[in-house]
Amino acid sequence: MARTRPEPMQVVKQRRDAALKALVEGVPYIRFLGIEFDRRGDELTGLLKFDDKLIGNPFLPAIHGGVTAAFLETTSIITLSWAYLWPDIESGAIDTEKLAAGDLPRLPKTIDFTVDYLRSGLPRDAYARATVCRAGRRYASVRVEAWQDNRDKLFAQANGHFLMPPTDASRSG
Amino acid sequence: MVDKVKLARQFIEAIPHSRALNMQLTDIGAGTATIEMPYDDRLIGDPKTGVIHGGAVSAMMDTCCGAAVMSHPSAPGGTATIDLRIDYMRAATPGQSIRTTATCYHITRNVAFVRATATDDDMDRPVATASGSFTVEKA
């Protein structure tokens, strides 16, 4: 069996990064909070850069619980969308230029989201990584963890359920 | 009692993130609070439809639940979220303010239990509901 020659690394990286950038930068609220994503292969890490407007308790000070929830939810949705789009990004079926121009795919919708606040969020950068526990055609279940200085000391974790966007196949019956 | 209400309002309005989202405490009672958040382009989660991101609704729910705990007659001081679950019923209509009402329906020495509902102009169909538990900090 003849193996096709692998694509040059730059081409693959460029396509993956362009798709991720379009996905993240297309959402105003992600820009408002200043959330970025670090990519290693298909693994994503959410990055929440500390800013004064994220403070919930000015006396401690601590990150607002709502910001923590939003950060975890955003990381979940982007990770889930990324996993869902990955085969099309790899095959080149996704047109990254159209994506960058704002033609975003439909994103999963949150059904419910439950956050455990384990310790207060300190006034510094935070990181989050999500795991897709189950990705069905209609529903998905995602777990996400967030930490600051130590990977082992989570300051919050969450579990959420999402409604997947309809595929062309499911729309036609 | 009046002082506590005033304190809660000042506390909410001193929170930088609540200010960044333009949250306004419109009503506060004995264990209940209402917060309104105007529609804002910066908070859009779906650029195709202009629907507000769920995270902004979460931030509002969390603030409103915290305010309800602090306004409870048995709460001596501040509070922090232990856990909060949010159920999203439907997308909030773009262009409309979102209003959340939270009730602290039970409080012990250490834990306060809270429920909240968020609506837009169509008050009969909730946008989201939340339930959570909060710490009761000693004054």
Side-chain angles (χ1 to χ4, degrees), chain A residues 152-167:
Chain A
D152 295 334
K153 283 193 174 173
L154 304 180
F155 77 101
Q157 61 184 11
N159 219 313
H161 295 95
F162 298 86
L163 188 63
M164 298 306 287
T167 57

Side-chain angles (χ1 to χ4, degrees), chain B residues 50-74:
Chain B
V51 169
I52 295 289
H53 196 280
V57 178
S58 305
M60 187 188 192
M61 290 283 202
D62 188 63
T63 308
C64 195
C65 288
V69 174
M70 286 192 292
S71 74
H72 197 281
S74 311

